[in-house]
Amino acid sequence: MVRIWLGDHLIAEYLAEPDRASRYQRVMTPKFTGLRITVDNAATGKASELPSSEQLWPLTVQ
């Protein structure tokens, strides 16, 4: 389970295999220094699959 936090607020959850989740965390943490990205073994709740493009935000502001 990959979780993305803004302060104490959970803003996104993704399911991924452990290696892919760790890679996502390593790549995204430096790009989004204001967010905390955690990887947990327990998969609970409804989470989306990790984006295949490995981009944190699938949509951009227009």
Side-chain angles (χ1 to χ4, degrees):
M1 176 76 67
V2 178
R3 292 186 172 123
I4 303 167
W5 304 85
L6 178 59
D8 293 335
H9 302 283
L10 179 64
I11 60 172
E13 281 187 320
Y14 297 113
L15 291 176
E17 295 175 359
D19 291 339
R20 190 159 182 239
S22 294
R23 183 171 161 243
Y24 185 85
Q25 181 186 33
R26 281 193 314 272
V27 169
M28 293 312 210
T29 297
K31 291 182 180 186
F32 298 95
T33 56
L35 301 178
R36 182 170 45 106
I37 302 173
T38 61
V39 177
D40 302 311
N41 290 332
T44 60
K46 293 196 174 213
S48 302
E49 288 186 27
L50 194 61
S52 59
S53 65
E54 304 227 2
Q55 293 179 4
L56 184 57
W57 310 114
L59 304 174
T60 58
V61 177
Q62 296 184 8

